[in-house]
Amino acid sequence: MRVPATTRDESVLVLTGGSTSVAVDVTGGVPRVLHWGPRLERTSSDSEFLAGLTEDQHAADALTGSRRLPAVLPEQSAGWMGTPGLDGHRDGTTFTTRFTSSGHELAGEPDRGQVLTTRAVESDAGLALTTSIELSGNGVLRLRASITNTAATGAYTVNGLRMVLPVPSEAREILDFTGRHLRERTPQRHAMRVGTHLREGRRGRTGSDAAFVLAAGSSGFGFGHGEVWAVHTAWSGNHATFAELGLSGVAVLGGGELLLPGEVILAPGETYPTPWLYGAYGTGLDAVAAAFHTELRSRATHPASPRPVVLNTWEAVYFDHDLEALEQLAKLGAQVGAERFVLDDGWFLGRRDDNAGLGDWRVDPEVWPAGLAPLVQAVRGFGMEFGLWFEPEMVNEDSEVAREHPEWILASGERLPLAGRHQQVLNLTVPEAFSYVLEAMSALIQEHSIDYVKWDHNRDLAEAGDRRTGEPRVHAQTLAAYALMDELRRRHPGLEIESCSSGGGRVDLEVLQRTDRVWASDCIDALERQRIQRWTGQLLPPELIGSHVGAPTAHTTRRTHSLAFRAATALFGHFGIEWDLRRASADELEELTAWVSLYKQERELISTGTVVRCDYPDEAYWAHGVVSPDRSRALFAFVAMDSCVAAQPGRMRLPGLDPRRGYRVEPIELSAGSMVRSRSGFPSWWNRPPVVAGRLLQDVGLQAPMLYPEQALLFRLVDDATDSRGR
């Protein structure tokens, strides 16, 4: 509905979706969020109360008329002394703003998605501001702002444009993530303290060390308890995500793009939009994760097909490409049940190692004298899809394209940045470079009807500028990468793309608007992957997280694990194999076939169900699972991350179940070797599977058995009125 003016009854608009409501004060130039949290069932008396909040929220300082809660784009002119929403100027002047409202619109309906659009102007600075606050029917909030230079002459420089969401005083602790290559998304947690907890990403990509999700919650919040407010900055270039607690006692969570000097200079009439800042609220981290998962699954572009079992060649052969060997690998993959074969790095011109070849996207005739067609035909003959690895944004200095077009390399001038993995970054903002990569990739995709592209990005964007002008290019390069993905998908409907970046270095909700899964980490050591997947799942549902069964001894850690632990870990993701099956024994191939069969039986549940993580008190043991949308069945894993101090573990309280149903406990025999056999044998529920009320499983729990370290025990819970397939 169009709202030309605001009366007292209309001064606060309430958006509602799922279990969340957002109350927004629209009386000022920029909207203020007064409430983001539990659902409000609004009545006429509520309207009066909420309107009164706009008058009661005064700041704790001497500035007359200042407000305690900041706008979603905070202004110092309104009394906010924290991080400013807009940081910009005109040749050093008009550095501060005081926007006045020019109208707002509220569209949509509660629980079906609502969008509040507000408009404001700043006559002195010659600026117009548009903000969008959206709340989905699933309760996921997202915000963005657009700033336009409305002056007749003169440029306006934008140094930063960041959105914020206030959180109440109950938000006492902060949880976010750090990490590195092979150890992505490592949690870190501390008290909310006065000042700014700022997480900047200056790598030109999302980064293995990104905040990923920044959550604030009540003291001691866990997976199933405590109020939690969380934000995610959806941008694949430089970015900032922060939590801030100021003098007034107000805490905010915020984020936006981190701009390099001079990246956004608006000529008259030009507009700069921020990335989306996503937010979710719930009781416990699992509720927040469920909101994000449901939102992602509701997208029209979400992969709808059963997620095919992937066989990737990287850790099987590395750069040693040989048609006969790869055909044998594909044949064995098909025998164990693989459905998609992905030829990784090493197929293109001069690519015998990582020193040369990047950018020369032509099949190497020395390795492939007949081209890729024989391998593609063999793979398709085995009944599998065919995928191919590219690193479109990168170039080796030792390549034909770099020698012919050195001006296409991102650099601040003639001096090249430090090399990373022996490579530089190709400047996709140069139209000729963009066109070259697009046409080279498109031709190969068309020629071989390629189903899947593994899109890699293996170095940071250091000193990333246009070599000809010296101007910074991270912002424009990020947009160009998006445009390249968009155009390839437009040209090749049905093409799936995986976001890989030194493993899990480009995992964000903006790149996921154009990709179908992420590679969570180059480390497929099952123990490390338990940790990485546990926390990648705070934002992404399992079907978007690539997870593979590797060799018995992990290539990245030299740690050896049983096939059962490797497969049980990969099961709770988009399942794949990255192992030279030519070296596997007949018994290993037989067991792997059984695990692939189990994944195929359970993948619909894994791709549609609600992820639950147990607040198990002993950190040596983890328990997690997936519960079907109708709560008629579930798949759980009890995982020994370490040895247990106690002689026997406690009980597993299993969340997410229907308390009124009776569930039959079904052991998964493939995982039986994880249990330490006591004098009395395996636990009674394993030998004589009982039927137990959901209420008892949630409130009392199932007695956990002792496991050998670095093992996982799997079991189903099935409504006693159905069989294990949900019928």
Side-chain angles (χ1 to χ4, degrees):
M1 62 179 176
R2 177 65 181 263
V3 185
T6 300
T7 66
R8 181 174 176 80
D9 288 340
E10 298 170 329
S11 63
V12 177
L13 303 177
V14 177
L15 288 65
T16 297
S19 60
T20 301
S21 287
V22 180
V24 186
D25 171 18
V26 292
T27 59
V30 186
R32 289 191 304 153
V33 172
L34 302 178
H35 168 83
W36 168 37
R39 183 183 180 103
L40 304 176
E41 300 297 344
R42 192 171 178 185
T43 65
S44 56
S45 60
D46 294 338
S47 298
E48 189 71 18
F49 171 78
L50 292 170
L53 289 179
T54 66
E55 301 171 1
D56 295 337
Q57 298 286 324
H58 299 296
D61 54 37
L63 297 174
T64 302
S66 63
R67 300 292 193 180
R68 184 170 185 266
L69 291 178
V72 294
L73 197 77
E75 296 179 283
Q76 198 169 81
S77 61
W80 179 250
M81 294 300 178
T83 300
L86 172 61
D87 178 4
H89 63 91
R90 290 184 184 276
D91 294 326
T93 67
T94 58
F95 63 92
T96 185
T97 60
R98 187 170 186 175
F99 284 98
T100 58
S101 175
S102 58
H104 64 270
E105 297 172 357
L106 178 61
E109 299 179 13
D111 296 315
R112 294 188 177 181
Q114 293 174 280
V115 181
L116 172 61
T117 304
T118 68
R119 295 172 300 281
V121 296
E122 221 297 354
S123 301
D124 292 338
L127 299 172
L129 175 70
T130 301
T131 63
S132 296
I133 301 175
E134 301 183 4
L135 187 68
S136 74
N138 305 312
V140 171
L141 178 65
R142 68 175 191 169
L143 304 84
R144 80 183 315 173
S146 297
I147 194 82
T148 301
N149 181 2
T150 58
T153 60
Y156 184 85
T157 298
V158 179
N159 295 326
L161 193 63
R162 297 184 173 99
M163 309 291 285
V164 304
L165 286 164
V167 292
S169 55
E170 284 81 2
R172 308 292 293 178
E173 293 183 9
I174 294 172
L175 169 71
D176 65 354
F177 299 87
T178 183
R180 58 169 173 81
H181 181 228
L182 308 178
R183 187 70 186 266
E184 294 87 342
R185 283 167 292 288
T186 299
Q188 56 182 16
R189 186 167 178 156
H190 58 80
M192 176 83 78
R193 300 184 180 96
V194 172
T196 304
H197 176 69
L198 174 62
R199 299 296 308 282
E200 291 185 336
R202 296 180 177 270
R203 300 182 180 277
R205 52 177 168 168
T206 317
S208 300
D209 59 342
F212 186 58
V213 172
L214 193 158
S218 54
S219 297
F221 67 88
F223 292 122
H225 63 275
E227 286 189 283
V228 179
W229 297 261
V231 297
H232 167 80
T233 304
W235 186 246
S236 308
N238 291 343
H239 60 280
T241 307
F242 58 93
E244 190 167 59
L245 177 60
L247 169 68
S248 63
V250 172
V252 297
L253 307 180
E257 185 178 8
L258 193 160
L259 294 170
L260 296 179
E263 279 198 297
V264 176
I265 301 176
L266 301 176
E270 289 185 336
T271 298
Y272 166 71
T274 68
W276 287 106
L277 179 69
Y278 283 79
Y281 164 83
T283 299
L285 289 164
D286 275 358
V288 168
F292 283 130
H293 296 181
T294 304
E295 186 68 14
L296 284 163
R297 287 169 171 169
S298 69
R299 302 171 300 160
T301 58
H302 193 73
S305 63
R307 307 313 296 138
V309 176
V310 175
L311 175 63
N312 185 279
T313 66
W314 179 241
E315 288 197 1
V317 300
Y318 291 100
F319 293 106
D320 187 15
H321 285 199
D322 173 79
L323 176 59
E324 183 179 351
L326 289 166
E327 284 182 341
Q328 180 65 16
L329 184 63
K331 181 179 180 180
L332 290 169
Q335 287 177 2
V336 301
E339 299 159 308
R340 173 181 286 164
F341 181 94
V342 180
L343 182 64
D344 212 288
D345 193 0
W347 56 267
F348 46 94
L349 195 64
R351 190 66 164 178
R352 304 284 65 78
D353 53 35
D354 61 4
N355 288 279
L358 275 180
D360 295 338
W361 301 114
R362 304 193 305 279
V363 178
D364 193 326
E366 291 188 12
V367 180
W368 302 95
L372 293 179
L375 178 63
V376 175
Q377 291 168 7
V379 166
R380 294 242 162 81
F382 294 133
M384 292 187 287
E385 298 177 355
F386 186 81
L388 194 60
W389 182 95
F390 289 91
E391 195 169 1
E393 299 150 83
M394 300 294 158
V395 61
N396 284 123
E397 294 174 55
D398 185 3
S399 65
E400 289 187 2
V401 70
R403 284 186 286 271
E404 292 173 6
H405 295 285
E407 74 279 8
W408 287 3
I409 297 176
L410 279 176
S412 60
E414 285 304 309
R415 173 178 53 79
L416 288 177
L418 295 172
R421 204 187 181 223
H422 311 292
Q423 65 195 56
Q424 298 289 348
V425 185
L426 194 68
N427 187 352
L428 293 180
T429 72
V430 176
E432 296 81 5
F434 182 96
S435 178
Y436 161 73
V437 176
L438 171 63
E439 298 305 331
M441 293 182 68
S442 189
L444 281 162
I445 293 168
Q446 182 69 34
E447 179 183 358
H448 299 294
S449 300
I450 289 170
D451 303 288
Y452 182 84
V453 166
K454 181 180 178 182
W455 188 302
D456 217 334
H457 182 283
N458 278 313
R459 65 152 294 162
D460 295 334
L461 273 62
E463 298 187 293
D466 189 302
R467 202 170 186 184
R468 301 161 301 177
T469 67
E471 297 171 343
R473 282 290 182 267
V474 173
H475 170 75
Q477 177 79 359
T478 305
L479 294 175
Y482 291 159
L484 183 57
M485 293 179 187
D486 291 340
E487 179 58 17
L488 283 170
R489 292 186 70 133
R490 187 194 68 79
R491 291 187 181 190
H492 307 284
L495 177 71
E496 290 196 10
I497 298 176
E498 174 182 56
S499 175
C500 178
S501 184
S502 307
R506 185 148 66 179
V507 181
D508 64 79
L509 293 186
E510 190 57 35
V511 79
L512 272 163
Q513 296 302 315
R514 32 192 69 80
T515 55
D516 301 276
R517 81 169 199 171
V518 303
W519 183 229
S521 178
D522 281 342
C523 180
I524 50 177
D525 173 310
L527 186 68
E528 298 295 333
R529 269 307 189 103
Q530 284 283 340
R531 300 184 181 106
I532 292 165
Q533 291 169 201
R534 178 184 181 93
W535 292 111
T536 304
Q538 188 55 46
L539 184 67
L540 306 187
E543 68 271 20
L544 295 182
I545 304 172
S547 183
H548 293 176
V549 177
T553 298
H555 292 195
T556 55
T557 65
R558 311 309 299 168
R559 188 186 279 131
T560 299
H561 287 127
S562 69
L563 175 52
F565 187 47
R566 285 140 54 210
T569 299
L571 189 72
F572 290 89
H574 183 184
F575 189 95
I577 303 161
E578 196 160 334
W579 176 15
D580 188 351
L581 297 180
R582 298 171 302 167
R583 299 176 182 273
S585 68
D587 288 345
E588 287 175 320
L589 292 173
E590 183 179 359
E591 184 182 352
L592 180 59
T593 301
W595 281 103
V596 171
S597 178
L598 176 64
Y599 171 73
K600 290 178 178 179
Q601 182 180 346
E602 299 294 347
R603 63 182 162 189
E604 182 179 356
L605 168 64
I606 293 166
S607 296
T608 60
T610 301
V611 172
V612 293
R613 294 163 292 185
C614 306
D615 286 305
Y616 194 75
D618 187 340
E619 275 299 305
Y621 285 100
W622 288 359
H624 64 89
V626 183
V627 181
S628 66
D630 65 359
R631 298 194 291 178
S632 65
R633 62 193 310 271
L635 177 68
F636 275 91
F638 184 60
V639 184
M641 300 294 289
D642 201 346
S643 59
C644 183
V645 173
Q648 183 180 23
R651 292 189 293 265
M652 298 175 278
R653 293 180 176 179
L654 306 176
L657 305 176
D658 183 343
R660 297 167 296 179
R661 290 183 191 261
Y663 291 94
R664 186 172 63 257
V665 181
E666 290 189 353
I668 294 179
E669 291 292 338
L670 281 170
S671 67
S674 64
M675 288 186 289
V676 176
R677 188 185 295 271
S678 66
R679 290 182 180 179
S680 58
F682 292 157
S684 61
W685 60 264
W686 186 271
N687 295 320
R688 300 181 301 280
V691 174
V692 187
R695 172 180 53 81
L696 292 176
L697 290 170
Q698 290 188 134
D699 296 343
V700 178
L702 198 64
Q703 176 59 51
M706 181 72 80
L707 303 186
Y708 293 108
E710 300 174 22
Q711 296 286 349
L713 185 71
L714 303 183
F715 57 93
R716 298 184 187 91
L717 300 176
V718 183
D719 186 329
D720 193 41
T722 66
D723 67 14
S724 62
R725 296 180 183 272
R727 294 184 294 230

